[in-house]
Amino acid sequence: MISYISDRLSLLKLALFMFSIDLLFFAAHWIFIADIDFGPLFNLGYENNFPTWYSSFKLFIAAVLAFLCYQQETSATQINFALPSWLWILVALLMAGMSIDETAQLHETASIYFMDSLAGARLRVAIQIGIMGGPLLWGMIFAPVLILIAGGLLSFYYSRMQRRRMLFLFAAISMTLFLCSFLLEQNQANIAGQLSSLQSNDIFQYQLLSSLEELSELFAINFLILIHFGYLKSIKR
Amino acid sequence: MTRGIRFILIITLTLSLLFFAYLISIISSDKYDYLLPKPNLIIFSADTLRADHLEIYGYHRTTMPNLSNMAQQGFIFDNAYTVSTHSAPAHASILSGLYPLQHGQVQNGLKLPAQITTLAEYLSQQGYDTAGFVSDIILGSESNLQQGFKSFGVDHINSGSPIHITESWSARVWKRTKKWLRSWHQSLEASRSEGKEYQRKPFFLWLHANHPHGNYNPPPGYRNLFVPHPSPSLQQELAQNNNDLDRVIRKALRNNQINQDLIDWVINLYDGEIRFVDHIFGQLLEYLKSIGEYDRTVIVFVSDHGEVFFEYVQKGQERSGAHHAGLYYEPVLKIPLVIKPSIHFQGQSGARISNPVVSVDIFKTVFDLLGLPRPNHKEGHSLLPLMQNPNAKTGRRISYFGEILFKNRCTGLRKNEWRFIRCERPGMPSKYRLYNLIQDPEQKLDRYTNEPNIAKQLEDILEQWLTEQKQFATENLGSISDEMRQALQAGGYLKKEEPR
C-alpha cells in the first residue's frame, strides 16, 4: 500500500496536501473561535480536539515511514553510512512516542507536577512567570533533552542526506519550526502568568501566539513526513 | 563519523549541557525563596470610623492602641479620603479600584455589576485563598460584594436586638474569621508536615467590622470606658425614653436642645465602639502572630467613611445629628488609612505620608505590595512609591468623590485648600458648595458665590474628570429584600416612601 502510494505520489503533491490541511485547521480555529460548541473542537491552543488528533496522526505516519526507511535501507541498499541503520528504529520509536504524547499530554502533565515542586516554583520566580504560566514552561524544563534530540536527529538526517540537500534542508526547517514553537510557548507562558491583568488585547495576543505555535508544530511535523517519504522514495529507486 | 556529524553532535551536547547547568543553577538556588510564597493580604475595614478619633491622628483618647502599635511598622496616611459616603459603594471602590460612578454601585442597596472584576477575583486567579466576612447586610450578597470570594459570610443583627448588646456583630464576624483562619492554618501545617510548604496558598481576607456605625451601642466593658455615666439630667432623659438614645437625640434636635452633655455622651459611646473594634483588631493581630503569619501579611486598616457629630445640622437633613450619608465634610470624607507591608517590602517602614490619597488607590497598592502584576486600571495611583519615599512630592494632587444620594448625583473634589461639591438632579437646578479648608476647616462658610472664578476652575476640573471616567456600568436598580429595605431605612439611606 505504502509502496503503491510512494510510487505515484510526488513530494510536492504530498507537501501541498499536508500544508493545505494545516491551513484549513488554522482557518477553522479563527472561524469558530467564538463558537461555544465548535470552537473547542478546532482551537489550536486546546488539547484533545481535531488539531491535536491530526497532529498525533501525522507523527504516527512519520514513525511508520521511519520504520519503512529502516526496512528499505537494510534490505535494498549496500551503502555504509556514517551512522548505523538501526537508528531508524530509534527515530520511529521517537515519533511514535511523540504521537502518543500529543494525545495523552504526557509532557504537559509532567510539567504541571514539576511546577508544583519547589524546583518548579524557583524556576518560575527566577524567570518572572506568574503561577498560571508555569505549566507552559515545559519546553524550558525539557530543553536539555530536546536539544539532544534535535541535534541527534539532525546528525542522523545529515548522515543519510548529504547528497539529498533538499531533504536535509527540510530537516533544518523542521527543527527551526520546533524552535519557533518553543519560543512562542514561552511568550504564552509570560502572558498566562499575568492572567490577573489581562486586557482584551492580551487575550487576543495569547490566542494568536497559541495558534501560531501549533501551526509551527503542524508544519514541522509535515517536514518530518516529507523527509522520511522523500528518503524512502530515493532509496527505492 | 564524518566531520559534519561530529560538529553537530558537539554543538548539541555543549548546548544541552549549558542549558542543563543553567536549570540546575536556578532550581538549586534559594536566592528568590523569600518571594515564595506570596504575602497574605488582610483588609480590615471599620465602618463609619472618622480619622480624627484615633490617637495616631492626634485624638486625646487612646481609642486604638493595637492599631497604633501596628502603625509603627507601617505607614500612616494623614490625608486619606473616601470616594463615597455610603458603605457599599465605598467598599466596592476599595475592592475594585474604581470610583462609584464607574463601577455602578453608586449607593447602598444597589448591586455591584457582575462584569466588574474584584480584587478577590484577581487574587483567586493568582492562587490566593479568599474569604470575606462582613457584619452588615448592606455589604451582603445582595450588594454582590462577595464576588470572587471563595468563602463569604454576613452577620447582620437588627439594631435594637438584645443580642446586639451581648454579642456584637463584629464579634460574631471575628469568630467566623478566626475559624476560617484556623482551617487555613491547618492546611498549611499539613503541607509543612509533607515538606511542601512552598505549595501553600496565600490568603486574602476582608474583615468588616460594623462598629462604630450608629446606633452607638458598644458591648459591656466599652460603654463606660471613657465617661463613667451620662450626666444626671441626661440619665433622667434617657430613663424617660426607654434608654433609646436615638429618640433622645431626635427630640433634642427637634426642640433645639442639643447640649454638651448629650454630645459628650454620644462621643463617649462612639469612642467605646472604636475601642471595641481595636479589641477585635488586636485579636486578629495576635492570632496572626501566634501562627507566624504576621510578618508575611500585608495589613490594610481603613474605614469606608467618617461621621459627623452635630457639627453640621442642616435644614431638611436633621436626622440624629450624628450621621454621614451625603454629608461632604472633612470628618466624613477623611478616613483613617494605615498600611503595614509584609517582610517582602524593600524599604523603611514606619512613616507618615501627608500626600493626599483616596481609597481607590489601595487597589493598585496591594498588587505592588504582593508582588503581583497590576490590572491596567487608569484609575488610582499605587502608594508604593510614597511608601518607599514618604517625603516624595509625587502622586495625586486632587481627590475626587462621587455617588448618588436620593436621586441626586453628588460629585466633588478637593484641590489644595479648596473643596468643591456639586449635586445634580434631573429637572432641578444643581446645587453647589465651595469651602476653603485652611481658613474654614469646619466648612461653615460656603464661598461658592463669593469665589466664582475658583468655583469655575474647580468645576471644569471636575467635569473633565467625569468625562475621562470610563463608565463600566451604570445604575443597576433591582428589587431588594425586605430585610435590606429595613436596613437601608434604619440607616437613613432610603426614604420610607421611596420605592426600590
Side-chain angles (χ1 to χ4, degrees):
Chain A
M1 168 86 174
I2 297 280
S3 174
Y4 177 82
I5 295 170
S6 70
D7 287 346
R8 279 155 188 78
L9 187 63
S10 73
L11 209 57
L12 181 66
K13 279 181 188 166
L14 179 63
L16 281 174
F17 175 72
M18 289 193 299
F19 285 110
S20 305
I21 292 186
D22 291 352
L23 289 172
L24 279 176
F25 271 116
F26 189 70
H29 166 90
W30 287 107
I31 290 168
F32 296 113
I33 195 155
D35 191 304
I36 296 168
D37 297 319
F38 289 104
L41 292 176
F42 292 99
N43 195 309
L44 289 166
Y46 290 9
E47 303 293 342
N48 267 328
N49 60 4
F50 289 131
T52 325
W53 296 327
Y54 175 61
S55 183
S56 181
F57 171 72
K58 284 203 299 186
L59 282 164
F60 178 71
I61 294 293
V64 171
L65 287 170
F67 183 71
L68 290 174
C69 287
Y70 165 73
Q71 272 193 331
Q72 193 66 29
E73 207 176 89
T74 48
S75 62
T77 63
Q78 302 298 320
I79 308 166
N80 260 339
F81 292 107
L83 293 172
S85 291
W86 61 262
L87 283 174
W88 274 114
I89 301 280
L90 215 59
V91 173
L93 288 174
L94 174 73
M95 307 281 154
M98 283 166 72
S99 170
I100 293 167
D101 174 66
E102 190 71 10
T103 306
Q105 300 154 45
L106 299 177
H107 69 272
E108 280 99 342
T109 312
S111 156
I112 289 168
Y113 276 110
F114 178 78
M115 279 302 159
D116 273 350
S117 69
L118 177 61
R122 281 176 171 170
L123 174 66
R124 197 170 46 69
V125 170
I127 60 172
Q128 298 180 344
I129 297 286
I131 198 160
M132 303 298 277
L136 293 170
L137 292 175
W138 64 267
M140 197 148 181
I141 303 163
F142 298 114
V145 180
L146 294 176
I147 292 169
L148 280 180
I149 291 173
L153 270 179
L154 272 179
S155 310
F156 179 67
Y157 289 144
Y158 184 76
S159 73
R160 297 298 188 275
M161 295 154 198
Q162 273 166 316
R163 292 200 184 85
R164 299 172 182 88
R165 288 288 163 95
M166 193 176 71
L167 293 183
F168 185 69
L169 182 67
F170 284 178
I173 294 173
S174 177
M175 296 307 133
T176 310
L177 285 168
F178 276 124
L179 178 68
C180 281
S181 166
F182 161 77
L183 294 174
L184 288 167
E185 189 115 16
Q186 299 309 297
N187 274 312
Q188 283 172 250
N190 195 25
I191 294 176
Q194 294 167 13
L195 203 63
S196 67
S197 57
L198 284 191
Q199 300 294 299
S200 55
N201 277 350
D202 299 320
I203 293 164
F204 174 75
Q205 202 189 345
Y206 181 85
Q207 286 169 341
L208 185 66
L209 287 177
S210 74
S211 64
L212 289 175
E213 180 245 319
E214 291 298 327
L215 191 68
S216 295
E217 236 176 79
L218 286 170
F219 280 4
I221 299 168
N222 287 352
F223 281 108
L224 291 178
I225 292 175
L226 290 174
I227 295 162
H228 297 178
F229 185 73
Y231 182 71
L232 190 62
K233 270 175 84 90
S234 71
I235 56 173
K236 276 184 78 178
R237 278 191 209 119
Chain B
M1 200 181 284
T2 65
R3 274 177 62 188
I5 293 172
R6 206 176 296 135
F7 175 75
I8 296 173
L9 285 178
I10 288 170
I11 293 285
T12 302
L13 209 61
T14 313
L15 275 177
S16 177
L17 282 174
L18 281 176
F19 216 102
F20 186 69
Y22 169 68
L23 283 178
I24 292 294
S25 73
I26 288 177
I27 62 179
S28 59
S29 160
D30 59 359
K31 188 178 169 190
Y32 298 110
D33 277 9
Y34 73 99
L35 292 170
L36 292 168
K38 293 289 181 198
N40 308 307
L41 169 66
I42 292 178
I43 294 182
F44 188 108
S45 59
D47 210 303
T48 320
L49 175 57
R50 58 187 271 179
D52 62 359
H53 275 241
L54 302 181
E55 64 268 32
I56 53 167
Y57 292 104
Y59 195 47
H60 65 280
R61 284 176 179 155
T62 306
T63 46
M64 289 206 74
N66 287 306
L67 177 67
S68 301
N69 283 339
M70 189 194 80
Q72 288 171 10
Q73 298 132 45
F75 295 87
I76 300 169
F77 291 84
D78 283 328
N79 290 297
Y81 289 92
T82 185
V83 294
S84 171
T85 62
H86 286 213
S87 294
H91 279 102
S93 289
I94 292 169
L95 296 173
S96 69
L98 300 169
Y99 287 90
L101 294 174
Q102 294 174 308
H103 59 59
Q105 193 176 39
V106 288
Q107 58 179 299
N108 286 341
L110 298 185
K111 205 170 190 170
L112 181 72
Q115 67 262 40
I116 301 298
T117 313
T118 62
L119 182 59
E121 287 172 293
Y122 283 119
L123 294 183
S124 292
Q125 288 169 1
Q126 290 291 344
Y128 273 68
D129 213 346
T130 55
F133 299 106
V134 301
S135 49
D136 191 345
I137 192 174
I138 285 171
L139 308 179
S141 55
E142 280 181 84
S143 71
N144 201 30
L145 288 177
Q146 85 283 9
Q147 192 173 297
F149 286 103
K150 198 173 155 197
S151 306
F152 195 81
V154 187
D155 272 301
H156 182 78
I157 303 164
N158 289 330
S159 301
S161 156
I163 205 168
H164 180 204
I165 300 163
T166 53
E167 192 184 3
S168 85
W169 304 351
S170 305
R172 283 161 65 102
V173 165
W174 163 238
K175 276 184 188 167
R176 263 184 199 260
T177 306
K178 193 173 177 183
K179 194 175 164 193
W180 184 86
L181 274 172
R182 195 177 289 138
S183 124
W184 178 87
H185 184 238
Q186 276 165 358
S187 60
L188 171 68
E189 287 293 300
S191 302
R192 268 188 192 144
S193 64
E194 291 169 20
K196 292 181 176 175
E197 191 186 340
Y198 56 85
Q199 275 185 350
R200 74 177 184 167
K201 280 184 158 191
F203 66 78
F204 163 41
L205 174 67
W206 170 35
L207 182 57
H208 164 259
N210 207 37
H211 298 280
H213 192 288
N215 304 329
Y216 312 133
N217 204 353
Y222 296 89
R223 199 173 169 77
N224 309 89
L225 200 62
F226 299 109
V227 178
H229 45 74
S231 67
S233 59
L234 180 59
Q235 219 160 4
Q236 197 181 352
E237 186 73 17
L238 282 165
Q240 284 169 3
N241 288 281
N242 251 351
N243 275 325
D244 185 341
L245 181 67
D246 224 24
R247 207 157 120 191
V248 172
I249 292 170
R250 279 201 304 273
K251 202 171 149 191
L253 280 164
R254 222 173 21 247
N255 301 331
N256 203 17
Q257 286 176 338
I258 300 289
N259 56 45
Q260 200 55 44
D261 283 349
L262 178 62
I263 294 173
D264 287 348
W265 182 243
V266 168
I267 290 176
N268 159 66
L269 294 176
Y270 180 80
D271 290 347
E273 293 231 354
I274 299 175
R275 185 61 175 262
F276 179 64
V277 172
D278 186 69
H279 167 67
I280 290 172
F281 187 64
Q283 283 189 302
L284 172 68
L285 300 186
E286 277 311 307
Y287 188 73
L288 287 175
K289 285 173 187 168
S290 73
I291 60 171
E293 291 299 315
Y294 179 77
D295 289 337
R296 298 198 67 91
T297 305
V298 174
I299 302 174
V300 178
F301 181 92
V302 69
S303 171
D304 50 354
H305 50 71
E307 182 87 315
V308 295
F309 295 116
F310 310 98
E311 294 113 310
Y312 310 96
V313 180
Q314 296 179 324
K315 280 182 186 171
Q317 287 217 358
E318 291 179 357
R319 189 188 151 269
S320 61
H323 197 42
H324 47 265
L327 301 176
Y328 306 112
Y329 300 108
E330 198 72 351
V332 173
L333 294 174
K334 199 169 188 173
I335 51 170
L337 175 61
V338 179
I339 300 178
K340 181 200 82 69
S342 65
I343 46 164
H344 303 74
F345 178 72
Q346 292 171 340
Q348 186 91 37
S349 291
R352 301 191 82 95
I353 293 169
S354 59
N355 286 46
V357 303
V358 291
S359 51
V360 165
D361 298 335
I362 292 170
F363 187 81
K364 281 187 177 171
T365 310
V366 297
F367 278 92
D368 282 355
L369 288 173
L370 300 178
L372 296 171
R374 274 190 265 167
N376 294 330
H377 277 192
K378 186 169 167 281
E379 296 69 27
H381 297 263
S382 169
L383 304 177
L384 186 64
L386 284 171
M387 291 163 76
Q388 285 167 335
N389 183 7
N391 298 320
K393 293 292 168 207
T394 57
R396 152 184 321 279
R397 291 279 171 268
I398 306 170
S399 56
Y400 299 94
F401 68 85
E403 62 187 5
I404 294 196
L405 180 77
F406 302 128
K407 294 176 185 167
N408 293 289
R409 185 173 85 151
C410 292
T411 49
L413 61 86
R414 178 174 178 176
K415 187 184 180 205
N416 301 328
E417 71 269 40
W418 295 101
R419 168 162 294 140
F420 176 77
I421 301 158
R422 182 175 77 180
C423 285
E424 307 155 284
R425 185 169 183 157
M428 306 274 278
S430 297
K431 290 177 187 167
Y432 302 92
R433 274 178 283 160
L434 178 70
Y435 300 102
N436 184 317
L437 296 173
I438 301 293
Q439 292 170 10
D440 172 29
E442 293 185 346
Q443 292 176 244
K444 301 278 185 192
L445 185 63
D446 180 3
R447 300 182 185 226
Y448 180 73
T449 44
N450 296 340
E451 301 280 3
N453 291 337
I454 289 168
K456 175 77 176 65
Q457 274 176 30
L458 296 177
E459 190 176 14
D460 287 346
I461 294 171
L462 181 67
E463 201 54 54
Q464 176 71 21
W465 175 71
L466 288 169
T467 313
E468 282 172 3
Q469 282 197 88
K470 184 183 168 192
Q471 290 219 338
F472 286 84
T474 50
E475 279 186 74
N476 186 12
L477 290 160
S479 59
I480 54 171
S481 66
D482 289 343
E483 201 182 357
M484 175 71 108
R485 182 184 303 280
Q486 276 174 13
L488 291 172
Q489 287 173 344
Y493 306 111
L494 186 67
K495 289 177 180 169
K496 300 269 187 223
E497 71 279 7
E498 194 173 347
R500 179 70 61 77

